[in-house]
Amino acid sequence: MSDNFPPMTSVKRWLVTTNHKDVGILYIATALFFLLFGGVLALLFRVQLWTPGQSILSGSGFNQAVSMHGLVMVFWFLSPIASGFANYLVPLQIGAKDLAFPRLNALSYWFYLFSGLLVGVSFFQGGSFEGGWTMYAPLNVPMYTPALDASTGGTATILALTLFVFSITLGTVNFLTTIHRSRAEGMGLWNMPLFTWSWLLTIWMMLFAFAALLAALLLLATDRILLTQYFATHQGSSLLWAHIFWFFGHPEVYIVFFPALGIMFETFQTFTGRRLVGRKWVIIAMVLVAVQSFLVWMHHMFLTTINLEIKTLFMATTIGISLPFDLMVFALIYTMVKGRVRFTTPFLFSLGALVLFILGGITGVFLGAVVLDYEFRGTYWVVAHFHYVMVSGVTALIAGLYYWWPKISGKMYNETLGKVHFAVYFIGFNLLYFPMFLAWETPRRVFHYGEGMQIYHQMATVGAFILGGSFLIMFYTLGKSLVSGPDAPDNPWEYARTAEWAIPSPPPLENWPGRPSYRSGHLEFVDDTAESAAATDGGTATATDIVQTGHGHELDTHEHDEEHADHASIWPMGIGFGVFVFFLGISGLTSSVAALIESLDPEYAEAAGLSGAVSYPYIAITLTGVAIMGYTLFQFGREQFTAPEMAIAERWPFENVGNTKLGVWFFLASDVIVFGAFIGAYLFMRIYEGWSSWPTVPPSAIPGLVNTYVLLTSSFTVILALVMAQRKNKKGLLATLSITVLLGLTFMSIKAWEWGQEFAHHIFWFTDIHYSMYFVTTGLHGLHVLLGLFIAVFMIYRVITVDAYLEDSRPVEFFGLYWHFVDIVWVFLFPLFYLM
């Protein structure tokens, strides 16, 4: 409860908090740490590139530094710092008191933090991943690592990325539910601030793009841990990885850049003193880019064997996606031209981001042409273009840090130091990246280059240290502000008009003094108690009950009788730690799996050169992780936690769908993409080899047919359970849930028996791609069934102990949605693997 919520100076607060502002601060602080981590890795290999050839790093060390620099910057810095701003500001901008699911928001952060810690640990497990940040096959599998033991750190990196995607998925479901169902009265989608608009489109892209990445990572993890054959064959494996990865990878560019674009829109409006020119068309342009981002992935694959007609089509979509960006760039320029510009630190960084992005976009057009891409692909031209686009986004994110620093910290920073930071940053940026265009003939990810290129690489290295030094100025500026900076007013920027500037700096725990409303066309805080009393008396609320905020106005401080929200829970951190321990354990199980394969099929193991020994320490760590996860998830489910929905809010187009139900829908939408990628991988590889020559893996279709009937029957019993809950029939609810569990266990038992029979006939998951795809895809489905069984058993426990779901049957309905989805997936898998 907020009455005894720990103060911000307490360590306990940061371990238990679920408040969106605290989580936002945690995200920002952690992302800045990973900025330093990734930056140090970059400085290491820039020193290596001072002269051509090996110097301070070994070949493996150089590959690790380059690969992990890319992974850390893209995944653990860029997206999370934007998520930090969104956590802090989106609820404030839309008039919400918190996100829809505060505990899941905290869990998202802890998954992010522990995924980053797992990356750090990977360097001490024989070496981290060294196959490039794009993780191209077949360089991403253990056969290209000198020994199985040395692949442990690389596997830990893949699992860290998987945990990071779990974090992203929780965050996207949470934000989508919040923005679509918790906007203040009178705030339609068109009226949302542009930063919130940019974030809404970002999380829609995240929901589907990161699901594709999750599928790719799960397939890669099975190759690295279970030694399956997805990316270790010559049967189209590298092309399969490229398709799945770049279906994620190209939307990721816009996922990273859209929040930066939203910051540019906000700061340009504030520091030019005028509304963004063409605001409606800018929003439409962003929507078009978000949709088109999933239609251009193959321009990363122009050098593959895809036929020319397809390449030409994707060249056209690439050019097409640049057109909405032209509109957005011109909107920013015209806003600046028609306004009265004040060159504050946030505006300088936003303007710098615009200039850098224009250059990055122009150089990217070269790569969008098939013929030029043949020349530039795999060279430093791509490195320079990529950084001019992505790090221009970083430039705008720094603008956001300065822009919202007074609101978050309650302190003003030294404007002169801020401008010095910008000057050093801008010089360092261009000295680092522009020479790469001139040294474009240098191959990527190697430390040998022609002597004529040395001057450009030395300029870039000097620029790298200047750019890195600029961040020391930033940290000094912000640290000095925290320690001795003057107190910030509620709104230090004259023309800032979004809702976060209408409350104190920093904002109070509960955000608002009343209920925010735009009913009258501008922001007001409504005392619902006074309105209700006035309506009861047959009158209307008085002017003193609705207080408009703005310059010189005091905020309404009436007490409200609404349900009080909780802000603390230790279990999100506990779950995050448990998953971290579990993933750390399974990262070292490859050797144990190799030993198992030796015992199952000695001839195959000898032919494949496999040898391993059971790793008891890693098995013990894995089991410890399972125990911690089980306990913390159980306590998470038992915990009484209040997160009330807004009584009055704009909810189009989901007015008649509750928060939790909508969240389940969003989660299932992402899971559709995961299974779609698995099934798509099967179809791709089968078509690649020849449809008719692909063997039907299970010897008999009978077990699959029986399991189909079992699962369909279990769907019927789940429906009966919902009916019993609605009728408040405790015995009926227990009986139907118990039958559902028994049917689920029957399904798993038949599947276990079937796999046993297949093993007896020497059909193993590791021998070739046909068997790998069957075992892995049906195994993923089996994991979903197992998760459903755990949930159902927990629900039975709740019914027995506290008569749960009899007064509110909705949780049974939500479980039913998940269970029906799992059953529908099997309806697709059965004919695909057993009949075709």
Side-chain angles (χ1 to χ4, degrees):
M1 303 292 286
S2 61
D3 293 338
N4 55 11
F5 193 52
M8 296 188 76
T9 54
S10 166
V11 173
K12 180 181 178 182
R13 178 186 179 117
W14 302 104
L15 298 178
V16 304
T17 185
T18 65
N19 183 266
H20 73 97
K21 296 183 294 297
D22 293 346
V23 173
I25 292 171
L26 288 170
Y27 262 109
I28 293 169
T30 308
L32 290 174
F33 167 78
F34 283 110
L35 168 67
L36 295 176
F37 182 19
V40 169
L41 291 172
L43 293 178
L44 276 174
F45 66 74
R46 281 312 321 171
V47 171
Q48 175 91 333
L49 290 165
W50 184 260
T51 57
Q54 184 172 314
S55 55
I56 66 167
L57 296 172
S58 65
S60 175
F62 180 85
N63 288 337
Q64 288 181 54
V66 172
S67 303
M68 295 310 298
H69 163 74
L71 288 170
V72 167
M73 287 301 201
V74 171
F75 293 105
W76 281 278
F77 167 62
L78 276 166
S79 289
I81 194 169
S83 186
F85 288 133
N87 262 282
Y88 200 100
L89 296 158
V90 165
L92 296 176
Q93 290 197 338
I94 66 174
K97 287 200 170 184
D98 209 321
L99 293 182
F101 312 112
R103 288 194 302 169
L104 291 186
N105 191 34
L107 182 58
S108 174
Y109 168 74
W110 290 110
F111 277 177
Y112 160 55
L113 175 64
F114 283 117
S115 69
L117 293 178
L118 190 54
V119 163
V121 170
S122 71
F123 283 94
F124 302 95
Q125 294 180 284
S128 193
F129 188 79
E130 54 180 284
W133 84 270
T134 53
M135 300 172 281
Y136 281 141
L139 298 176
N140 53 12
V141 293
M143 68 163 58
Y144 288 93
T145 307
L148 284 174
D149 290 340
S151 73
T152 301
T155 303
T157 305
I158 302 304
L159 293 172
L161 272 169
T162 305
L163 184 52
F164 177 79
V165 177
F166 289 172
S167 165
I168 290 289
T169 302
L170 291 175
T172 53
V173 168
N174 213 342
F175 274 109
L176 284 169
T177 305
T178 303
I179 294 174
H180 282 297
R181 283 193 45 86
S182 299
R183 302 189 306 278
E185 179 187 25
M187 179 179 278
L189 285 174
W190 278 112
N191 308 121
M192 292 193 308
L194 284 167
F195 176 73
T196 297
W197 250 114
S198 71
W199 186 248
L200 175 63
L201 295 172
T202 298
I203 53 180
W204 270 113
M205 289 187 286
M206 279 181 168
L207 186 72
F208 301 116
F210 274 93
L213 177 63
L214 177 60
L217 293 171
L218 291 175
L219 294 177
L220 180 55
T222 63
D223 269 11
R224 296 187 66 92
I225 299 170
L226 301 178
L227 300 177
T228 54
Q229 297 288 312
Y230 271 92
F231 304 116
T233 73
H234 300 290
Q235 303 170 17
S237 289
S238 59
L239 203 57
L240 172 64
W241 174 266
H243 276 298
I244 302 177
F245 180 84
W246 285 117
F247 186 80
F248 149 79
H250 200 80
E252 169 67 1
V253 174
Y254 306 114
I255 286 168
V256 166
F257 194 75
F258 263 36
L261 200 58
I263 291 170
M264 292 162 68
F265 293 147
E266 295 283 5
T267 51
F268 267 67
Q269 289 185 134
T270 295
F271 298 112
T272 61
R274 64 165 294 128
R275 184 182 172 94
L276 185 73
V277 172
R279 183 183 191 275
K280 178 176 70 174
W281 294 106
V282 166
I283 293 172
I284 292 173
M286 286 197 293
V287 173
L288 286 174
V289 170
V291 173
Q292 286 179 267
S293 68
F294 291 93
L295 304 176
V296 298
W297 80 91
M298 262 192 261
H299 73 212
H300 293 274
M301 302 166 64
F302 283 162
L303 265 63
T304 65
T305 55
I306 298 169
N307 65 54
L308 183 59
E309 290 77 12
I310 297 295
K311 292 177 182 176
T312 304
L313 173 63
F314 276 83
M315 181 173 70
T317 62
T318 302
I319 295 170
I321 204 171
S322 69
L323 300 179
F325 273 112
D326 296 340
L327 187 151
M328 289 183 258
V329 167
F330 282 117
L332 287 167
I333 292 172
Y334 282 132
T335 302
M336 185 169 57
V337 169
K338 295 187 176 184
R340 299 176 61 185
V341 177
R342 287 165 297 143
F343 290 95
T344 61
T345 301
F347 183 79
L348 285 172
F349 273 98
S350 289
L351 179 60
L354 178 62
V355 172
L356 299 173
F357 176 70
I358 290 172
L359 185 54
I362 292 171
T363 55
V365 173
F366 289 76
L367 297 169
V370 175
V371 175
L372 290 175
D373 191 69
Y374 271 77
E375 188 70 20
F376 287 130
R377 181 64 59 185
T379 71
Y380 262 60
W381 183 278
V382 178
V383 177
H385 154 70
F386 180 80
H387 283 86
Y388 263 90
V389 173
M390 299 293 270
V391 189
S392 70
V394 175
T395 311
L397 291 167
I398 296 169
L401 185 60
Y402 279 109
Y403 181 59
W404 282 301
W405 178 259
K407 179 57 57 181
I408 295 172
S409 68
K411 298 287 187 177
M412 295 302 296
Y413 58 86
N414 185 297
E415 189 68 38
T416 301
L417 283 175
K419 291 177 178 177
V420 170
H421 173 211
F422 170 74
V424 176
Y425 175 94
F426 201 73
I427 293 169
F429 180 104
N430 288 286
L431 186 58
L432 168 58
Y433 297 120
F434 193 80
M436 295 182 187
F437 286 122
L438 305 177
W440 69 270
E441 292 177 286
T442 305
R444 299 178 70 178
R445 304 189 186 104
V446 298
F447 46 81
H448 293 279
Y449 53 84
E451 289 186 9
M453 304 294 145
Q454 183 166 342
I455 182 62
Y456 303 125
H457 283 285
Q458 290 181 346
M459 290 170 63
T461 299
V462 172
F465 278 90
I466 294 174
L467 182 64
S470 75
F471 285 101
L472 298 181
I473 299 173
M474 183 188 79
F475 286 117
Y476 173 76
T477 303
L478 300 183
K480 185 173 183 292
S481 167
L482 271 181
V483 173
S484 59
D487 290 340
D490 295 350
N491 184 1
W493 317 122
E494 185 177 357
Y495 296 108
R497 284 292 179 265
T498 46
E500 72 269 26
W501 303 109
I503 53 177
S505 301
L509 183 67
E510 303 284 354
N511 291 351
W512 314 108
R515 175 173 60 82
S517 173
Y518 290 87
R519 181 174 53 187
S520 64
H522 52 258
L523 178 60
E524 300 171 336
F525 293 114
V526 180
D527 185 345
D528 287 323
T529 307
E531 279 203 325
S532 176
T536 303
D537 294 338
T540 58
T542 64
T544 57
D545 298 320
I546 302 177
V547 182
Q548 180 181 345
T549 64
H551 301 297
H553 289 286
E554 294 184 1
L555 301 181
D556 185 9
T557 57
H558 289 309
E559 291 293 327
H560 301 282
D561 297 328
E562 66 185 40
E563 191 175 14
H564 205 63
D566 290 328
H567 295 288
S569 174
I570 191 64
W571 303 117
M573 188 196 70
I575 294 169
F577 178 68
V579 177
F580 165 76
V581 174
F582 174 69
F583 276 11
L584 178 62
I586 63 175
S587 70
L589 294 185
T590 306
S591 180
S592 300
V593 172
L596 175 63
I597 291 173
E598 277 189 286
S599 65
L600 291 172
D601 195 338
E603 292 182 6
Y604 173 83
E606 184 178 357
L610 278 179
S611 63
V614 178
S615 177
Y616 293 105
Y618 276 108
I619 291 174
I621 293 171
T622 302
L623 295 176
T624 302
V626 170
I628 296 171
M629 283 193 300
Y631 177 75
T632 52
L633 283 166
F634 178 72
Q635 294 298 338
F636 184 90
R638 289 181 67 245
E639 184 178 47
Q640 297 297 310
F641 188 89
T642 303
E645 287 190 32
M646 292 172 62
I648 301 172
E650 296 293 332
R651 297 191 168 105
W652 186 87
F654 301 107
E655 295 95 336
N656 300 318
V657 184
N659 281 1
T660 307
K661 187 173 184 179
L662 186 60
V664 172
W665 280 4
F666 286 137
F667 166 74
L668 294 180
S670 72
D671 217 12
V672 167
I673 301 298
V674 174
F675 273 107
F678 271 68
I679 294 171
Y682 169 80
L683 295 174
F684 176 86
M685 296 297 279
R686 184 163 181 176
I687 292 169
Y688 188 94
E689 181 173 316
W691 188 271
S692 59
S693 61
W694 190 278
T696 303
V697 176
S700 170
I702 299 301
L705 179 63
V706 174
N707 263 345
T708 303
Y709 286 121
V710 169
L711 277 189
L712 291 176
T713 305
S714 71
S715 269
F716 178 68
T717 60
V718 169
I719 295 172
L720 288 179
L722 177 59
V723 172
M724 294 301 169
Q726 290 171 340
R727 293 180 179 179
K728 301 182 180 180
N729 184 335
K730 181 177 179 179
K731 290 183 178 179
L733 177 58
L734 281 173
T736 48
L737 283 176
S738 298
I739 294 171
T740 303
V741 170
L742 288 173
L743 289 169
L745 290 172
T746 301
F747 174 90
M748 297 296 287
S749 299
I750 292 173
K751 176 55 67 178
W753 175 85
E754 182 185 20
W755 281 14
Q757 292 298 304
E758 288 154 1
F759 293 165
H761 289 85
H762 280 253
I763 297 175
F764 297 114
W765 69 89
F766 50 81
T767 49
D768 64 32
I769 186 66
H770 316 104
Y771 300 156
S772 292
M773 288 197 154
Y774 162 70
F775 281 107
V776 171
T777 307
T778 57
L780 177 69
H781 177 266
L783 285 176
H784 279 70
V785 174
L786 193 61
L787 175 60
L789 288 174
F790 285 139
I791 296 172
V793 169
F794 178 78
M795 293 176 74
I796 291 171
Y797 161 80
R798 295 280 290 168
V799 174
I800 293 173
T801 55
V802 294
D803 292 338
Y805 321 124
L806 300 180
E807 298 300 325
D808 182 2
S809 62
R810 289 177 298 173
V812 181
E813 179 187 3
F814 306 148
F815 168 69
L817 290 173
Y818 172 82
W819 194 258
H820 297 323
F821 168 77
V822 172
D823 294 353
I824 290 169
V825 169
W826 180 257
V827 170
F828 282 92
L829 296 184
F830 169 63
L832 203 60
F833 285 102
Y834 289 83
L835 302 180
M836 292 185 181

